[in-house]
Amino acid sequence: MQITYTLKHNKEVEQGEYDPATKVLTLASGRELNLARADDVKLAKKLIYSKVVTAPQMELVTLNTLSQM
């Protein structure tokens, strides 16, 4: 599923991909984070704001909710 998120360091809005089956979040930069791993969740929280928008549902969800999908 496609997600839209905001980077913390420069406030830019970007789009990435999230695969609920593997729990892999792919950022626009190409970096892949596995939200099933605590270290990657911690890194994701440092890089992006915790609330993201999913598409096509257009739902506002947190990173924690996203990793539980």
Side-chain angles (χ1 to χ4, degrees):
M1 97 179 52
Q2 189 173 24
I3 64 162
T4 302
Y5 58 89
T6 306
L7 294 171
K8 284 186 175 179
H9 74 283
N10 62 5
K11 311 283 189 269
E12 285 189 26
V13 176
E14 295 188 349
Q15 292 184 338
E17 293 286 328
Y18 179 70
D19 183 358
T22 61
K23 299 192 184 293
V24 172
L25 172 63
T26 305
L27 302 178
S29 65
R31 175 178 272 175
E32 290 186 352
L33 301 171
N34 185 339
L35 297 185
R37 296 181 51 210
D39 291 344
D40 282 1
V41 171
K42 201 180 279 189
L43 180 58
K45 288 180 179 180
K46 286 183 180 181
L47 295 174
I48 64 177
Y49 286 102
S50 65
K51 293 187 179 172
V52 300
V53 177
T54 62
Q57 302 90 345
M58 298 306 291
E59 291 180 304
L60 181 65
V61 297
T62 64
L63 286 174
N64 289 337
T65 303
L66 192 64
S67 65
Q68 295 171 359
M69 290 182 153

